[in-house]
Amino acid sequence: MSADASADAVADDLIGRFAMVRARTDRLTAPLSAEDQVVQSMPDTSPTKWHRAHTTWFFAEFVLGADGTSGRRWDRPEYRFLYNSYYEAVGARHPRPDRGLVTRPSVAEVADYRTQVDDAVEQLLARGEGTGLASTLVLGTHHEEQHQELLLLDIKHVLAMNPAVGPAYAEVVAAPAQDPGSIGWVEFGGGLVEVGRGCDDASPVDGFAFDNEGPCHEVRLYDYALADRLLTAGDWLAFIDDGGYRRPELWKSDGWYRAQSEGWEAPLYWRRNPDDPSTWWIHTMTGLRLVDPHEPVVHVSYYEADAFATWAGARLPTEFEWEHAAASRPVDGVFLAEQDPACVFHPTSAGPATGDLRQFFGDCWEWTSSAYQPYPGFRPAGGAIGEYNGKFMSGQQVLRGGSVYTPPGHVRPTYRNFFHPHTRWHGAGVRLAVDQVR
């Protein structure tokens, strides 16, 4: 293949991925009204309109070179201020807790902004001028996929604030979940193992990984076993019925005070049935319904996950135990499928036991006991892009595996998500681990 033909193929691949990712965001926002898209229900969430604009700003800023002075239609100084999230090197920005107070630009103007930037990026690539920015553009598409998940989680929180019924994002009736049976255990031997990006020749489809996934390095593991499925709502009901939220001996100190101060008595989005307080309802993306005991429990904090593990005589896996188990397994599972008319945007049953790990990817992000820290030899990139991950490596816990809200193809065995230990609105569930004494 000639150099020109190779460059054209690269440009076509970039245009194709860019268009695919941008189209998914538009599909995800299609069911929402303009009113839905401007609400911010708490400081941790962002309005749908902001997600749409911020992901567009990323391409304008880092691919097209916006600086607020060029006079181009999409290069407006107020957009650089409103839609910069946390990039200090770029300049001043609007405070995150106040994003829901901004009614202008309107939803329609943000949609027009997206179109303008899409056209400019595609024209840049079609002229063959964007291949030198390929790595930044690909980063931008993976960044937008992260925001697609956040967009769904944030609008779920918004809709749950409705005091009437918690309206549905999708008008689909969820079928009863299949009983996954009792938990089984899958054993793994210890020893020195390699973890992190770059340990072997295997690579994601587009060769992409975030900087926090490497470098490859060795860690020491001891014999352990992982639960063959995620915890279910039925498992969690047993924890509640045994006083799990009233027993401080099960909890880390910070978690206990958080649970008490915020009045936790069940996972986020669970509420007692007012006609029968012994039963629970759950707000889902398809509306309010009874808790199904056979589906995975979701929307629990690290503190809750750790308390349950203590109650069960188990523990949470380390991120390295999780990755070692994942290394030899395909990335198969229940991920985001917004084009499937039967998609309920909720974790599904593990199904019958197989003798191996079930639900290892998809359904729910899985809390680990590992603090989010840099790997040995980690160095952030220079400039604003270097702020993407490194500066958040403090006070947060690692989660692994992806969820039903994660776009397909987005996660890998080395993928490291991270959240503060008290947070619950993201799609986190629990897989237990135990030590194996030989």
Side-chain angles (χ1 to χ4, degrees):
M1 181 182 293
S2 69
D4 288 344
S6 178
D8 289 343
V10 170
D12 288 345
D13 288 346
L14 290 172
I15 290 172
R17 174 162 177 80
F18 177 75
M20 176 193 72
V21 170
R22 300 288 281 173
R24 181 184 292 118
T25 301
D26 292 339
R27 287 195 301 271
L28 295 176
T29 59
L32 303 176
S33 69
E35 291 81 1
D36 290 332
Q37 295 188 48
V38 298
V39 176
Q40 182 177 20
S41 51
M42 65 171 175
D44 281 344
T45 64
S46 295
T48 301
K49 182 182 74 170
W50 185 89
H51 285 296
R52 297 174 69 191
H54 166 69
T55 52
T56 303
W57 166 85
F58 188 97
F59 291 110
E61 184 74 30
F62 297 118
V63 175
L64 298 178
D67 61 8
T69 66
S70 70
R72 292 169 291 190
R73 292 179 62 204
W74 43 264
D75 185 8
R76 298 170 58 173
E78 65 269 31
Y79 286 9
R80 298 186 82 217
F81 175 74
L82 291 172
Y83 302 130
N84 174 7
S85 54
Y86 52 71
Y87 295 91
E88 301 284 354
V90 171
R93 64 196 186 283
H94 188 60
R96 177 177 179 177
D98 296 340
R99 290 171 184 169
L101 303 178
V102 178
T103 59
R104 299 179 186 180
S106 67
V107 169
E109 288 173 310
V110 166
D112 187 48
Y113 176 45
R114 286 181 64 86
T115 299
Q116 293 167 17
V117 170
D118 287 355
D119 289 346
V121 169
E122 291 179 1
Q123 289 168 14
L124 182 76
L125 293 172
R127 294 194 303 267
E129 299 175 11
T131 54
L133 294 166
S135 62
T136 303
L137 191 141
V138 171
L139 171 63
T141 62
H142 287 270
H143 165 258
E144 181 148 352
E145 286 179 333
Q146 291 180 318
H147 277 273
Q148 289 165 353
E149 179 160 4
L150 290 171
L151 184 157
L152 290 171
L153 293 165
D154 290 358
I155 197 63
K156 182 176 187 177
H157 195 268
V158 167
L159 295 176
M161 294 295 102
N162 188 308
V165 295
Y169 170 85
E171 299 293 341
V172 182
V173 177
Q178 181 181 6
D179 185 350
S182 59
I183 287 177
W185 297 93
V186 180
E187 297 184 359
F188 297 88
L192 281 177
V193 301
E194 290 185 326
V195 296
R197 182 78 169 98
C199 291
D200 53 38
D201 294 332
S203 63
V205 172
D206 62 4
F208 176 83
F210 287 109
D211 59 357
N212 66 353
E213 297 176 48
C216 173
H217 63 288
E218 288 186 334
V219 297
R220 170 70 172 170
L221 300 181
Y222 297 88
D223 296 345
Y224 67 101
L226 297 179
D228 70 337
R229 63 164 172 80
L230 298 171
L231 292 181
T232 64
D235 297 327
W236 210 268
L237 286 166
F239 174 69
I240 293 172
D241 291 343
D242 196 42
Y245 283 90
R246 302 189 303 274
R247 296 172 55 183
E249 71 271 17
L250 301 176
W251 294 71
K252 297 287 193 291
S253 179
D254 287 349
W256 177 249
Y257 287 114
R258 174 73 67 162
Q260 294 300 295
S261 65
E262 297 191 2
W264 295 351
E265 61 172 357
L268 183 65
Y269 302 130
W270 287 30
R271 61 182 77 172
R272 291 191 183 274
N273 181 345
D275 298 321
D276 180 7
S278 66
T279 62
W280 293 89
W281 286 344
I282 181 174
H283 170 74
T284 74
M285 294 287 271
T286 59
L288 195 67
R289 60 168 171 80
L290 287 172
V291 168
D292 189 324
H294 300 317
E295 67 189 13
V297 69
V298 64
H299 294 297
V300 293
S301 67
Y302 166 78
Y303 292 137
E304 290 164 287
D306 182 75
F308 184 102
T310 301
W311 173 78
R315 60 176 175 82
L316 300 180
T318 69
E319 67 165 318
F320 307 123
E321 290 171 334
W322 192 99
E323 185 173 323
H324 179 56
S328 60
R329 288 171 167 79
V331 185
D332 293 332
V334 179
F335 294 104
L336 178 61
E338 79 283 353
Q339 291 182 288
D340 181 352
C343 179
V344 295
F345 301 90
H346 197 78
T348 58
S349 167
T354 65
D356 198 3
L357 300 173
R358 296 174 282 168
Q359 303 174 301
F360 206 55
F361 291 96
D363 278 310
C364 299
W365 287 101
E366 302 179 21
W367 284 111
T368 75
S369 62
S370 298
Y372 181 50
Q373 292 289 329
Y375 287 165
F378 171 80
R379 297 290 184 272
I385 291 293
E387 299 183 50
Y388 198 103
N389 282 310
K391 70 181 186 179
F392 299 109
M393 292 175 171
S394 174
Q396 310 206 56
Q397 295 294 127
V398 174
L399 302 93
R400 295 294 195 117
S403 81
V404 70
Y405 305 106
T406 306
H410 182 69
V411 296
R412 300 161 288 284
T414 56
Y415 193 107
R416 307 172 77 201
N417 199 0
F418 53 92
F419 279 99
H420 291 287
H422 68 278
T423 54
R424 310 205 294 167
W425 98 103
H426 48 88
V430 185
R431 184 182 303 274
L432 298 178
V434 293
D435 298 323
Q436 293 290 299
V437 179
R438 299 186 185 275

